[in-house]
Amino acid sequence: MYNVKQEELTESIGRGGRILFMKIQNPHDKFFKETLGNVSTAKDFLTHYLPENIMSVIDVDTLDPQMDSFINVELEESFSDLLFKVDICNKEGYLYFLFEHKSYSDKGIAFQLLKYMVEIWEAKMNKEEAKELPIIIPLVIHHSRFNWRIPSNLGAMLDGYEDLPEELKIYVPNFDYLIYDLTTYDDEDIKGKAQTRILLTLFRDIFTKDKNELLQSILRSIHYLNELEDKQTGVEYFETMMRYIFSAAKDLTKKDVEKIIKKFEKTYPEGSEIAMTLADMWRDEGMQQGMQQGMQQGLEIGGTKALAKTAIRLLTKKFYTVPEEVKEGIFKLDTIALELLIDDIWDSQTVEDIKKYLQ
């Protein structure tokens, strides 16, 4: 979940030690993983954006998210990744998403992908003692202020590769990767279900649009939420979306926020409690800092409950059963404790390890 630096946490404590606002570190990473890490959304993206010749050999119904990440600490500010196991030609294979949110196109990304794919293969050989290695299809999603301007293959990095005779190229490693340059997408190019379109729209516009254009994209994204049959899902995703916007967008004003709230309240009556709470908190706030503080307080009303449900779901997925007293304790935790708990789930050996957060 959130990676919180100590100084960010300290600065977010108001009078009485109450958490007023917490700036999300790496908001692009969080929004990417929370959205595309959902299997249903990942399937939707692949269905609409994978080339037909690849879709014809992939069984998206076998899509299985893996917990592995291959991004080192030095690159976390610029890259995120997701790994999915999936059947390719009726055999186990992988789709590797690399999300690039740097201010420029990285010429070394093909080599970076190669290193990550080798790490995946090494894990298969060392941990599972696999005799044959799985197919890995690499995909790169790019968003920044500038278009992607570099070739999408490893050979372009190798000096003299293109000058080699074809009969010699077979001895030199080379591969292509799929590149999705969101800066080139028009509204008509953005397809799929609500969450997919919201993700791609906001990633495209967060860097490239001015404040008024970005506001229109946010309002349009709220309209997309109305397509969801499960209204609670819509409310929860609105919270996810707003956390991203208020950590990544720079110039939105109190008036802009009021427009967003009114649009959400009109479009989504089911979320009126959250919308009204946000509106009340902002009505008397005259400064940007106060606006952000109110935003966090309002989101925590529904966000804490959603985080508690997420924690219980992840614990159940890992340990199969979760004692009722643990579930009850989780619902009593605040947002910060829940985020820390969720971060720790995959390193925990038993449910008992989680109880330290319930003290």
Side-chain angles (χ1 to χ4, degrees):
M1 298 295 289
Y2 300 145
N3 298 311
V4 185
K5 291 181 178 178
Q6 183 62 43
E7 59 268 25
E8 292 174 327
L9 186 58
T10 302
E11 291 175 358
S12 68
I13 299 178
R15 282 180 293 179
R18 185 177 182 184
I19 297 296
L20 295 177
F21 179 77
M22 181 177 63
K23 187 78 171 177
I24 301 174
Q25 185 183 359
N26 299 337
H28 309 296
D29 169 85
K30 180 169 177 57
F31 193 41
F32 168 71
K33 288 183 176 178
E34 282 199 350
T35 303
L36 206 57
N38 177 280
V39 172
S40 177
T41 307
K43 285 182 181 180
D44 185 58
F45 176 88
L46 295 171
T47 300
H48 287 90
Y49 292 100
L50 271 187
E52 288 186 10
N53 61 337
I54 298 180
M55 273 299 294
S56 65
V57 299
I58 288 180
D59 183 359
V60 293
D61 291 329
T62 64
L63 205 64
D64 181 22
Q66 308 296 292
M67 297 309 298
D68 308 78
S69 176
F70 301 91
I71 306 297
N72 60 36
V73 175
E74 290 76 16
L75 296 176
E76 284 181 348
E77 291 291 338
S78 302
F79 294 95
S80 310
D81 62 346
L82 284 170
L83 180 66
F84 290 91
K85 185 190 297 184
V86 67
D87 284 357
I88 302 175
C89 293
N90 297 316
K91 295 183 178 181
E92 179 185 295
Y94 290 88
L95 297 175
Y96 181 70
F97 285 86
L98 185 62
F99 176 49
E100 194 254 17
H101 39 90
K102 298 173 73 170
S103 58
Y104 59 91
S105 302
D106 189 344
K107 292 182 179 179
I109 202 163
F111 184 63
Q112 194 175 337
L113 284 167
L114 178 62
K115 290 194 294 182
Y116 298 153
M117 290 191 290
V118 168
E119 286 186 39
I120 296 169
W121 285 323
E122 285 182 336
K124 296 295 289 185
M125 293 177 65
N126 296 333
K127 294 181 181 180
E128 301 180 23
E129 299 183 354
K131 302 301 182 184
E132 295 182 330
L133 299 177
I135 296 294
I136 304 172
I137 298 176
L139 308 91
V140 175
I141 299 177
H142 165 77
H143 86 136
S144 74
R145 293 177 178 83
F146 307 102
N147 293 357
W148 187 265
R149 299 180 182 277
I150 62 176
S152 57
N153 60 78
L154 179 63
M157 287 189 64
L158 305 178
D159 188 21
Y161 177 80
E162 292 301 330
D163 298 328
L164 287 175
E166 291 299 322
E167 61 269 20
L168 293 185
K169 285 183 179 179
I170 61 174
Y171 301 110
V172 181
N174 187 27
F175 68 92
D176 284 25
Y177 55 87
L178 293 162
I179 176 71
Y180 299 92
D181 180 7
L182 301 183
T183 63
T184 66
Y185 282 35
D186 294 325
D187 289 341
E188 295 75 17
D189 299 322
I190 295 178
K191 305 172 183 178
K193 296 179 181 178
Q195 291 96 323
T196 305
R197 281 184 286 157
I198 291 171
L199 178 77
L200 299 184
T201 297
L202 294 181
F203 274 162
R204 179 196 64 182
D205 295 347
I206 203 78
F207 287 145
T208 61
K209 304 295 186 182
D210 63 28
K211 187 195 72 169
N212 292 328
E213 291 174 318
L214 177 59
L215 178 60
Q216 292 307 310
S217 295
I218 295 169
L219 297 178
R220 188 165 65 251
S221 295
I222 293 174
H223 177 72
Y224 294 157
L225 288 175
N226 207 36
E227 300 170 10
L228 296 174
E229 294 182 4
D230 185 347
K231 298 305 179 184
Q232 182 60 32
T233 299
V235 173
E236 292 173 0
Y237 195 69
F238 174 73
E239 296 171 6
T240 298
M241 182 181 82
M242 293 306 293
R243 287 182 185 274
Y244 173 66
I245 289 167
F246 277 88
S247 292
K250 303 300 183 184
D251 301 320
L252 293 181
T253 65
K254 179 182 176 183
K255 187 175 180 180
D256 296 330
V257 174
E258 289 173 347
K259 287 182 180 179
I260 294 170
I261 293 172
K262 288 179 181 178
K263 174 70 173 180
F264 179 67
E265 190 173 20
K266 181 178 179 181
T267 304
Y268 242 75
E270 293 81 4
S272 59
E273 181 180 351
I274 291 175
M276 290 174 62
T277 303
L278 290 173
D280 288 341
M281 288 179 174
W282 273 312
R283 190 166 290 123
D284 298 323
E285 296 286 354
M287 310 233 357
Q288 180 75 8
Q289 178 64 25
M291 180 190 71
Q292 291 181 329
Q293 292 171 352
M295 175 67 191
Q296 183 64 19
Q297 291 175 4
L299 288 181
E300 284 181 357
I301 292 172
T304 302
K305 185 176 180 180
L307 282 174
K309 290 181 177 179
T310 298
I312 293 171
R313 184 170 66 250
L314 292 174
L315 286 168
T316 303
K317 184 174 182 180
K318 181 166 185 178
F319 299 116
Y320 301 104
T321 60
V322 180
E324 286 301 319
E325 65 269 19
V326 173
K327 292 181 182 178
E328 292 173 4
I330 288 174
F331 274 108
K332 294 177 182 178
L333 296 177
D334 60 20
T335 302
I336 300 299
L338 285 166
E339 289 162 353
L340 294 173
L341 183 154
I342 289 172
D343 272 341
D344 201 30
I345 286 176
W346 304 111
D347 294 325
S348 301
Q349 300 301 314
T350 69
V351 176
E352 294 296 315
D353 295 337
I354 296 299
K355 290 186 177 181
K356 62 186 177 184
Y357 295 101
L358 309 182
Q359 302 299 321

PDB file of all heavy atoms in Angstrom, residues 15 98 147 156 178 186 214 273 332 346:
ATOM      1  N   ARG A  15      -2.878  19.170  15.360  1.00  0.00           N
ATOM      2  CA  ARG A  15      -3.057  19.335  16.800  1.00  0.00           C
ATOM      3  C   ARG A  15      -3.701  18.096  17.390  1.00  0.00           C
ATOM      4  O   ARG A  15      -4.618  17.520  16.833  1.00  0.00           O
ATOM      5  CB  ARG A  15      -3.943  20.556  17.071  1.00  0.00           C
ATOM      6  CG  ARG A  15      -3.189  21.882  16.926  1.00  0.00           C
ATOM      7  CD  ARG A  15      -4.084  23.051  17.208  1.00  0.00           C
ATOM      8  NE  ARG A  15      -5.134  23.173  16.193  1.00  0.00           N
ATOM      9  CZ  ARG A  15      -6.072  24.115  16.231  1.00  0.00           C
ATOM     10  NH1 ARG A  15      -6.108  24.985  17.223  1.00  0.00           N
ATOM     11  NH2 ARG A  15      -6.976  24.183  15.282  1.00  0.00           N
ATOM     12  N   LEU A  98       5.642  -3.180 -17.325  1.00  0.00           N
ATOM     13  CA  LEU A  98       6.539  -2.174 -16.764  1.00  0.00           C
ATOM     14  C   LEU A  98       5.909  -0.811 -17.024  1.00  0.00           C
ATOM     15  O   LEU A  98       5.661  -0.434 -18.181  1.00  0.00           O
ATOM     16  CB  LEU A  98       7.919  -2.252 -17.409  1.00  0.00           C
ATOM     17  CG  LEU A  98       8.982  -1.313 -16.817  1.00  0.00           C
ATOM     18  CD1 LEU A  98       9.254  -1.646 -15.346  1.00  0.00           C
ATOM     19  CD2 LEU A  98      10.275  -1.389 -17.620  1.00  0.00           C
ATOM     20  N   ASN A 147       6.269  12.500 -25.880  1.00  0.00           N
ATOM     21  CA  ASN A 147       6.008  11.250 -26.588  1.00  0.00           C
ATOM     22  C   ASN A 147       7.187  10.289 -26.457  1.00  0.00           C
ATOM     23  O   ASN A 147       8.333  10.696 -26.243  1.00  0.00           O
ATOM     24  CB  ASN A 147       5.762  11.518 -28.074  1.00  0.00           C
ATOM     25  CG  ASN A 147       4.481  12.291 -28.315  1.00  0.00           C
ATOM     26  OD1 ASN A 147       3.737  12.584 -27.385  1.00  0.00           O
ATOM     27  ND2 ASN A 147       4.234  12.641 -29.556  1.00  0.00           N
ATOM     28  N   ALA A 156      18.129  -2.146 -30.963  1.00  0.00           N
ATOM     29  CA  ALA A 156      18.403  -0.727 -31.187  1.00  0.00           C
ATOM     30  C   ALA A 156      19.451  -0.186 -30.217  1.00  0.00           C
ATOM     31  O   ALA A 156      20.074   0.850 -30.475  1.00  0.00           O
ATOM     32  CB  ALA A 156      17.114   0.076 -31.049  1.00  0.00           C
ATOM     33  N   LEU A 178       6.024  -4.570 -26.270  1.00  0.00           N
ATOM     34  CA  LEU A 178       4.840  -3.784 -26.606  1.00  0.00           C
ATOM     35  C   LEU A 178       4.893  -2.460 -25.860  1.00  0.00           C
ATOM     36  O   LEU A 178       5.119  -2.430 -24.645  1.00  0.00           O
ATOM     37  CB  LEU A 178       3.572  -4.543 -26.215  1.00  0.00           C
ATOM     38  CG  LEU A 178       3.279  -5.813 -27.014  1.00  0.00           C
ATOM     39  CD1 LEU A 178       2.282  -6.688 -26.274  1.00  0.00           C
ATOM     40  CD2 LEU A 178       2.742  -5.449 -28.385  1.00  0.00           C
ATOM     41  N   ASP A 186      -5.895   9.632 -28.183  1.00  0.00           N
ATOM     42  CA  ASP A 186      -7.064  10.508 -28.171  1.00  0.00           C
ATOM     43  C   ASP A 186      -8.143   9.862 -27.307  1.00  0.00           C
ATOM     44  O   ASP A 186      -8.048   8.678 -26.953  1.00  0.00           O
ATOM     45  CB  ASP A 186      -7.601  10.712 -29.588  1.00  0.00           C
ATOM     46  CG  ASP A 186      -6.615  11.474 -30.477  1.00  0.00           C
ATOM     47  OD1 ASP A 186      -5.918  12.369 -29.947  1.00  0.00           O
ATOM     48  OD2 ASP A 186      -6.536  11.166 -31.679  1.00  0.00           O
ATOM     49  N   LEU A 214      -7.612  19.194 -17.251  1.00  0.00           N
ATOM     50  CA  LEU A 214      -7.535  18.089 -16.300  1.00  0.00           C
ATOM     51  C   LEU A 214      -8.831  17.980 -15.497  1.00  0.00           C
ATOM     52  O   LEU A 214      -9.330  16.874 -15.257  1.00  0.00           O
ATOM     53  CB  LEU A 214      -6.353  18.271 -15.356  1.00  0.00           C
ATOM     54  CG  LEU A 214      -6.198  17.217 -14.260  1.00  0.00           C
ATOM     55  CD1 LEU A 214      -6.034  15.826 -14.860  1.00  0.00           C
ATOM     56  CD2 LEU A 214      -5.011  17.539 -13.349  1.00  0.00           C
ATOM     57  N   GLU A 273     -22.853  10.397   1.245  1.00  0.00           N
ATOM     58  CA  GLU A 273     -22.310  10.649   2.582  1.00  0.00           C
ATOM     59  C   GLU A 273     -20.876  11.147   2.505  1.00  0.00           C
ATOM     60  O   GLU A 273     -20.495  12.119   3.162  1.00  0.00           O
ATOM     61  CB  GLU A 273     -22.374   9.370   3.421  1.00  0.00           C
ATOM     62  CG  GLU A 273     -21.841   9.570   4.836  1.00  0.00           C
ATOM     63  CD  GLU A 273     -21.915   8.298   5.667  1.00  0.00           C
ATOM     64  OE1 GLU A 273     -22.529   7.312   5.205  1.00  0.00           O
ATOM     65  OE2 GLU A 273     -21.348   8.300   6.775  1.00  0.00           O
ATOM     66  N   LYS A 332     -11.337  -1.982  13.720  1.00  0.00           N
ATOM     67  CA  LYS A 332     -11.150  -0.920  14.709  1.00  0.00           C
ATOM     68  C   LYS A 332      -9.901  -0.079  14.435  1.00  0.00           C
ATOM     69  O   LYS A 332      -9.686   0.941  15.085  1.00  0.00           O
ATOM     70  CB  LYS A 332     -11.053  -1.526  16.117  1.00  0.00           C
ATOM     71  CG  LYS A 332     -12.340  -2.181  16.595  1.00  0.00           C
ATOM     72  CD  LYS A 332     -12.150  -2.825  17.965  1.00  0.00           C
ATOM     73  CE  LYS A 332     -13.435  -3.524  18.421  1.00  0.00           C
ATOM     74  NZ  LYS A 332     -13.242  -4.195  19.745  1.00  0.00           N
ATOM     75  N   TRP A 346       2.292 -10.008   3.217  1.00  0.00           N
ATOM     76  CA  TRP A 346       2.996 -10.994   2.394  1.00  0.00           C
ATOM     77  C   TRP A 346       4.304 -11.455   3.029  1.00  0.00           C
ATOM     78  O   TRP A 346       4.899 -12.437   2.610  1.00  0.00           O
ATOM     79  CB  TRP A 346       3.225 -10.423   1.000  1.00  0.00           C
ATOM     80  CG  TRP A 346       1.927 -10.012   0.402  1.00  0.00           C
ATOM     81  CD1 TRP A 346       1.495  -8.753   0.153  1.00  0.00           C
ATOM     82  CD2 TRP A 346       0.852 -10.874   0.032  1.00  0.00           C
ATOM     83  NE1 TRP A 346       0.224  -8.771  -0.355  1.00  0.00           N
ATOM     84  CE2 TRP A 346      -0.202 -10.049  -0.449  1.00  0.00           C
ATOM     85  CE3 TRP A 346       0.659 -12.264   0.047  1.00  0.00           C
ATOM     86  CZ2 TRP A 346      -1.402 -10.568  -0.895  1.00  0.00           C
ATOM     87  CZ3 TRP A 346      -0.541 -12.770  -0.400  1.00  0.00           C
ATOM     88  CH2 TRP A 346      -1.560 -11.929  -0.866  1.00  0.00           C
TER      89      TRP A 346
END
